[in-house]
């Protein structure tokens, strides 16, 4: 029947189908022939039942295109999205291509009828039981953003209606208060806007808002569809969309779930790991690789075994090698920014290289950066919100903003000469050959593919060391076992004295500790995906992932005795010639440029001050006042920062005692600069405050 010899594991799958197993789950590790197994399964069904209607579904077009060639005589093959779009009807197919692809939050607010900002009060209780009120403001753009995020969450959920729970975004009122919920009166207004938004999306004739893939998937799910096939072969089920999983689980016919739960790498876009969660009548395993031999399988098992997986078995007839590769077919990266840097390095060295990322997008970003530097408003949408180059650099320094792919890309690009980088990108794009040369790709794009000679880049955060400011009591034991959890875990580990006697001598024979951390589960699984793309040769940066850390490696990350509290470097202190202070007799010997803490709780005060001052290139210059706050319930050394007698934050707690000892009971005026406050995607970013202090010994 088959053009190749089936393994015992594959034969067991065919046997389960012949026995009429209604819900079958196939746990297939990397390279173990899951696609060929599903093809054989579809063929076996068609031979035994000529009227059998079988549907093969997967998520990626390239997977479906490849499989359809092999399975086309026995089953229909399509992506999940194409199935849903076909069933919701042609009107929505037209809408998908005819609605605006980009829209600012300000434009969205106009279309939703959000005409003004919303000022509301929040009630809270203090530690001594006193009830108080705090005033908060939501801008038009903030409300439009909240509505857009709520609709996206709704589209990824199994809910049938939008209610106030989609706006259960707590407000942080400060460490002394904590988080309090948005009042019902506010959420009711937001729900009204969200219903207006969804009504427009559901209208096949409307073209006002962008119609996304998530929208028609949700519309399809709300139809309670019944897929018109006897059997569904669900490939790559570890990446199942929650809606598709729900539809398939309710399918009255036979369902075969097939995938590798350890290749679940799309949780960031709402995917659920069906291979882990669905209940099956029978579960079978594919563990013998057709792609590589035991040398590569051994590397993969270093990632699999700690997760509780069965071991991957290398192909006995295959010949693979792990080690350095001089001329790889492909280099796999974790991040696009690393990939682009490597692409430019190779292109400038006249190495034939190609990539599957959009070089044109990087050109547009670099052009936008150059425009900002010249003082010209850039055309790139994400950069157009910055008024100048200084605002961009302040945003990059803002630790309250999460480092997403865009921020990381900007950081990487700014390391280079932008003019030279732009010229190289243009040249590379124009001369790019889509089929020849070394391929640079990411682990996400490489998933499902195989290459002869693979180099895995070193930008995968498989292991990391954390500094000792993290309390051991806040962490759970990780080591290898912690990998079974999906959040950062770390463990304080003492270095054995007999393992590093010279190191102990260097540290005065005191106990030495280091933090051993592992990344979120999805990062670990991305590394597993990357190393299993190799068919013949593999070079990777992970070493032995169960390594005994070398002396030099330990020395780089060790600490003496109990880890001391680390002072956060929020300021630069410089010595200065003593001089008198105009406020009264103190002799200043030190100065510092200090970033004020707690400004995120004082945004209205900072915005009010900034609105009355002409902005310079650096920010809004003003005068602030510092005064000790000995009655502070949380820190008796606290130093309060005021502007116009309104609270604007505190000196950093590590710094306050130093300056506070010079203040006594007096108030002192100090020069200050309000920074930030620029618009990003139509939403005003947080204001910050810097003080230029001088204090005495």
């Amino acid at each position: 029947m088959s053009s190749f010899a089936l393994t015992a594991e594959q034969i067991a799958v065919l046997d389960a189908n012949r026995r009429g197993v209604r819900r079958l789950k196939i746990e297939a590790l990397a390279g173990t022939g899951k696609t060929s197994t599903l093809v054989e399964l579809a063929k076996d069904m068609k031979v035994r039942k000529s009227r059998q209607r079988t549907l093969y579904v997967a998520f990626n077009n390239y997977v479906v295109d490849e499989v359809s060639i092999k399975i086309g005589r026995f089953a229909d093959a399509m992506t999940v999205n194409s199935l849903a779009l076909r069933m919701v009807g042609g009107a929505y197919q037209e809408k998908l291509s005819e609605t605006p692809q980009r829209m600012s939050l300000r434009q969205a607010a106009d279309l939703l009828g959000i005409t003004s900002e919303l000022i509301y009060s929040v009630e809270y209780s203090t530690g001594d039981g006193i009830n108080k009120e705090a005033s908060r403001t939501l801008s038009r753009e903030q409300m439009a953003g909240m509505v857009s995020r709520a609709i996206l969450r709704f589209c990824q959920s199994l809910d049938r209606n939008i209610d106030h729970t989609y706006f259960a975004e707590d407000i942080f009122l400060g460490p002394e208060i904590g988080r309090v919920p948005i009042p019902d009166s506010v959420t009711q207004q937001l729900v009204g806007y969200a219903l207006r938004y969804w009504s427009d999306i559901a209208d096949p004739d409307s073209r006002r808002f962008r119609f996304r893939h998530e929208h028609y998937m949700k519309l399809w799910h709300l139809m309670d569809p019944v897929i018109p096939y006897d059997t569904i072969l669900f490939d790559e089920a570890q990446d199942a969309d929650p809606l598709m999983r729900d539809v398939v689980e309710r399918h009255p016919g036979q369902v075969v779930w097939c995938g590798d739960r350890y290749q679940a790498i799309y949780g960031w876009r709402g995917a659920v790991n069906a291979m882990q969660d669905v209940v099956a009548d029978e579960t079978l395993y594919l563990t013998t690789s057709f792609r590589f031999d035991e040398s590569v399988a051994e590397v993969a098992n270093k990632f699999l075994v700690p997760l509780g997986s069965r071991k991957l078995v290398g192909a006995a007839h295959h010949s693979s090698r792990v080690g350095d590769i001089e001329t790889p077919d492909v280099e796999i990266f974790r991040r696009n920014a690393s990939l682009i840097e490597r692409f430019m390095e190779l292109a400038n060295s006249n190495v034939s290289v190609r990539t599957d990322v959009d070089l044109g997008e990087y050109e547009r970003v670099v052009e936008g950066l150059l425009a900002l530097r010249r003082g010209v408003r850039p055309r790139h949408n994400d950069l157009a919100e910055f008024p100048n180059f200084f605002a961009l650099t302040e945003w990059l320094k803002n630790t309250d903003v999460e480092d997403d792919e865009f921020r990381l890309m900007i950081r990487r690009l700014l390391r280079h000469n932008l003019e030279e980088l732009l010229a190289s990108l243009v040249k590379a794009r124009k001369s790019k050959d889509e089929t020849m040369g070394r391929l640079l790709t990411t682990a996400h794009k490489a998933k499902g593919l195989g290459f002869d000679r693979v180099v895995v880049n070193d930008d995968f955060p498989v292991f990391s060391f954390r500094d000792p400011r993290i309390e051991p009591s806040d962490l759970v034991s990780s080591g290898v076992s912690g990998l079974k959890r999906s959040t950062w875990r770390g463990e304080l580990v003492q270095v054995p004295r007999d393992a590093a006697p010279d190191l102990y001598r260097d540290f005065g024979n005191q106990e030495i500790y280091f933090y051993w951390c592992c990344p979120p589960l999805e990062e670990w699984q991305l590394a597993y995906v990357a190393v299993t793309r190799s068919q013949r040769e593999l070079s990777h940066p992970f070493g032995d992932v169960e390594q005994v850390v070398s002396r030099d490696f330990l020395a780089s990350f060790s600490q003496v005795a109990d880890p001391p509290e680390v002072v956060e470097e929020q300021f630069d202190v410089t010595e200065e010639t003593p001089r008198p202070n105009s406020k009264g007799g103190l002799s200043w010997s030190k100065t510092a440029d200090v970033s004020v803490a707690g400004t995120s709780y004082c945004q209205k005060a900072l915005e009010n001050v900034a609105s009355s001052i002409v902005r310079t290139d650096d920010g809004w210059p003003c005068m602030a006042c510092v005064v000790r706050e000995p009655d502070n319930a949380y820190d008796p050394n606290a130093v309060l920062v005021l502007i116009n007698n309104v609270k604007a934050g505190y000196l950093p707690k590590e710094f306050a005692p130093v300056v506070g000892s010079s203040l006594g009971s007096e108030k002192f005026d100090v020069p200050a600069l309000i920074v930030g406050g620029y618009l990003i995607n139509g939403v005003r970013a947080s204001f910050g405050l810097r003080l230029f202090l001088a204090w005495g010994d």
Side-chain angles (χ1 to χ4, degrees):
M1 170 189 266
S2 174
S3 58
F4 61 94
L6 297 176
T7 66
E9 292 173 327
Q10 291 174 313
I11 292 172
V13 170
L14 297 183
D15 179 64
N17 176 63
R18 291 169 181 172
R19 287 188 280 106
V21 177
R22 185 171 172 273
R23 290 290 188 269
L24 176 63
K25 184 159 65 172
I26 307 172
E27 298 267 13
L29 299 178
T32 56
K34 64 178 178 60
T35 300
S36 60
T37 303
L38 292 177
V39 171
E40 290 300 317
L41 196 57
K43 183 191 298 185
D44 188 60
M45 292 175 180
K46 198 68 172 178
V47 169
R48 292 187 302 106
K49 298 179 181 179
S50 61
R51 295 182 178 273
Q52 170 84 12
R53 299 196 66 204
T54 302
L55 174 67
Y56 169 93
V57 289
F59 293 90
N60 295 318
N61 281 311
Y62 70 83
V63 172
V64 171
D65 291 343
E66 180 182 347
V67 172
S68 61
I69 298 173
K70 305 172 184 177
I71 207 172
R73 290 186 296 150
F74 319 112
D76 292 335
M78 62 185 73
T79 63
V80 172
N81 290 82
S82 61
L83 172 66
L85 193 57
R86 178 181 300 184
M87 295 183 70
V88 296
Y92 289 110
Q93 296 182 35
E94 295 174 1
K95 184 171 182 174
L96 188 65
S97 61
E98 295 176 359
T99 53
Q101 296 303 299
R102 287 183 178 272
M103 177 180 292
S104 71
L105 291 175
R106 186 172 302 166
Q107 290 173 310
D110 291 339
L111 292 174
L112 289 170
I114 305 175
T115 58
S116 62
E117 65 181 16
L118 178 63
I119 302 174
Y120 61 95
S121 296
V122 179
E123 295 184 355
Y124 64 93
S125 297
T126 61
D128 52 7
I130 300 176
N131 294 326
K132 291 188 175 182
E133 278 193 357
S135 178
R136 286 294 181 268
T137 301
L138 286 176
S139 69
R140 296 172 62 243
E141 292 83 3
Q142 284 177 311
M143 287 187 280
M146 293 173 72
V147 169
S148 178
R149 292 191 297 273
I151 292 297
L152 184 59
R153 289 194 296 270
F154 172 65
C155 290
Q156 294 172 338
S157 77
L158 301 182
D159 296 339
R160 306 190 72 85
N161 298 293
I162 302 170
D163 59 23
H164 70 282
T165 60
Y166 283 96
F167 298 97
E169 299 184 17
D170 292 347
I171 312 161
F172 191 57
L173 296 183
E176 70 277 9
I177 302 172
R179 305 191 73 88
V180 297
I182 294 178
D184 290 342
S185 59
V186 176
T187 61
Q188 287 173 6
Q189 292 189 55
L190 294 173
V191 168
Y193 292 133
L195 292 174
R196 187 177 303 171
Y197 189 121
W198 181 248
S199 176
D200 192 278
I201 291 299
D203 181 356
D205 297 322
S206 174
R207 301 291 187 271
R208 298 202 308 164
F209 294 101
R210 180 186 176 187
F211 190 62
R212 301 164 58 108
H213 295 287
E214 293 88 351
H215 295 154
Y216 68 73
M217 287 293 297
K218 184 62 178 181
L219 290 167
W220 176 64
H221 179 258
L222 291 173
M223 293 167 51
D224 293 323
V226 176
I227 301 175
Y229 288 87
D230 302 309
T231 297
I232 298 174
L233 306 179
F234 199 146
D235 201 359
E236 302 289 353
Q238 75 278 354
D239 296 324
D241 179 282
L243 307 182
M244 181 63 183
R245 171 183 163 179
D246 182 61
V247 172
V248 172
E249 282 193 300
R250 290 188 278 108
H251 182 62
Q254 183 187 32
V255 177
V256 178
W257 306 88
C258 186
D260 183 351
R261 68 172 64 194
Y262 308 111
Q263 292 192 55
I265 58 175
Y266 291 108
W268 54 272
R269 70 180 187 192
V272 293
N273 194 339
M275 295 305 298
Q276 179 175 294
D277 300 329
V278 296
V279 177
D281 298 326
E282 189 170 337
T283 301
L284 297 172
Y285 299 87
L286 301 179
T287 61
T288 302
S289 172
F290 291 92
R291 185 177 297 161
F292 41 72
D293 73 3
E294 196 60 32
S295 61
V296 175
E298 184 179 350
V299 177
N301 284 329
K302 297 297 184 180
F303 294 93
L304 288 172
V305 173
L307 301 178
S309 170
R310 298 189 178 200
K311 280 194 172 185
L312 184 58
V313 180
H317 63 278
H318 216 80
S319 177
S320 302
R321 183 182 71 86
V322 177
D324 293 337
I325 302 174
E326 186 174 345
T327 55
D329 298 319
V330 63
E331 295 186 26
I332 300 177
F333 296 79
R334 170 62 182 89
R335 297 195 177 277
N336 285 333
S338 305
L339 184 154
I340 288 296
E341 282 194 320
R342 177 62 171 160
F343 184 91
M344 301 314 304
E345 175 190 347
L346 293 174
N348 291 334
S349 301
N350 295 319
V351 175
S352 179
V353 62
R354 58 193 174 99
T355 180
D356 48 11
V357 303
D358 183 5
L359 293 180
E361 170 62 15
Y362 284 86
E363 281 183 46
R364 292 185 286 274
V365 172
V366 175
E367 287 172 345
L369 293 174
L370 286 169
L372 275 176
R373 203 169 65 181
R374 294 193 303 268
V376 178
R377 184 180 179 87
R379 288 185 293 178
H380 190 282
N381 281 1
D382 293 326
L383 293 174
E385 306 293 351
F386 297 99
N388 51 49
F389 195 77
F390 174 78
L392 174 69
T393 59
E394 286 293 303
W395 176 65
L396 292 174
K397 290 190 294 184
N398 187 353
T399 57
D400 290 334
V401 180
E402 184 179 354
D403 262 346
D404 59 12
E405 184 72 32
F406 184 70
R407 271 168 63 96
L408 290 171
M409 175 179 66
I410 297 299
R411 292 182 193 279
R412 292 289 187 93
L413 294 178
L414 289 177
R415 296 177 185 176
H416 300 272
N417 180 301
L418 294 179
E419 289 84 357
E420 294 179 359
L421 180 59
L422 179 60
S424 298
L425 281 169
V426 172
K427 179 182 176 181
R429 176 178 55 81
K430 290 181 177 179
S431 61
K432 186 174 71 168
D433 190 320
E434 301 290 348
T435 59
M436 299 295 291
R438 185 183 309 180
L439 173 65
L440 305 189
T441 188
T442 63
H444 284 100
K445 289 181 178 293
K447 184 171 176 286
L449 304 177
F451 308 90
D452 281 348
R453 295 178 295 277
V454 174
V455 170
V456 180
N457 193 264
D458 62 1
D459 65 339
F460 287 79
V462 169
F463 290 119
S464 176
F465 285 80
R466 288 188 170 183
D467 67 45
R469 75 184 70 192
I470 304 171
E471 290 294 330
S473 60
D474 295 333
L475 303 167
V476 298
S477 177
S478 67
V480 175
S481 62
L483 297 171
K484 295 179 181 178
R485 302 176 176 89
S486 60
T487 55
W488 281 97
R489 295 291 186 260
E491 180 182 16
L492 187 67
V493 179
Q494 181 182 348
V495 181
R497 291 182 180 273
D498 57 357
D502 294 341
L503 189 61
Y504 269 91
R505 185 178 65 248
D506 294 343
F507 280 94
N509 208 35
Q510 299 183 66
E511 292 180 338
I512 300 170
Y513 294 85
F514 69 96
Y515 271 103
W516 173 259
C517 296
C518 62
L521 179 62
E522 198 158 295
E523 295 291 345
W524 184 262
Q525 293 178 165
L526 272 168
Y528 160 62
V529 168
V531 298
T532 52
R533 299 309 95 198
S534 172
Q535 297 175 156
R536 297 197 176 277
E537 297 182 43
L538 170 66
S539 175
H540 65 90
F542 307 121
D544 184 346
V545 294
E546 295 171 343
Q547 63 188 331
V548 176
V549 183
S550 68
R551 175 186 182 278
D552 291 340
F553 198 56
L554 278 175
S556 301
F557 297 97
S558 57
Q559 295 292 332
V560 178
D562 291 334
E565 182 177 1
V566 175
V567 178
E568 190 170 348
E569 296 181 357
Q570 298 185 12
F571 45 84
D572 297 318
V573 177
T574 56
E575 296 295 330
E576 186 179 84
T577 304
R579 56 184 175 83
N581 184 303
S582 59
K583 283 283 184 175
L586 286 178
S587 176
W588 304 116
S589 61
K590 289 179 170 58
T591 62
D593 175 354
V594 182
S595 293
V596 174
T599 53
S600 59
Y601 322 132
C602 308
Q603 290 297 296
K604 196 63 179 178
L606 293 173
E607 184 177 1
N608 289 339
V609 175
S611 65
S612 64
I613 302 172
V614 177
R615 178 169 186 158
T616 67
D617 289 341
D618 295 332
W620 293 271
C622 59
M623 292 298 293
C625 175
V626 292
V627 59
R628 290 188 63 233
E629 194 179 57
D631 297 331
N632 188 293
Y634 298 92
D635 183 4
N637 294 315
V639 175
L640 179 64
V641 179
L642 303 169
I643 300 181
N644 297 341
N645 288 321
V646 177
K647 177 180 174 181
Y650 288 90
L651 290 188
K653 67 178 182 179
E654 299 88 355
F655 193 33
V658 181
V659 176
S661 63
S662 298
L663 289 175
S665 59
E666 298 186 69
K667 294 182 179 181
F668 290 94
D669 294 330
V670 295
L673 183 71
I674 298 174
V675 296
Y678 37 83
L679 292 174
I680 303 177
N681 294 330
V683 178
R684 187 169 295 282
S686 297
F687 289 93
L689 181 63
R690 290 160 55 189
L691 302 183
F692 304 98
L693 287 175
W695 74 97
D697 289 323

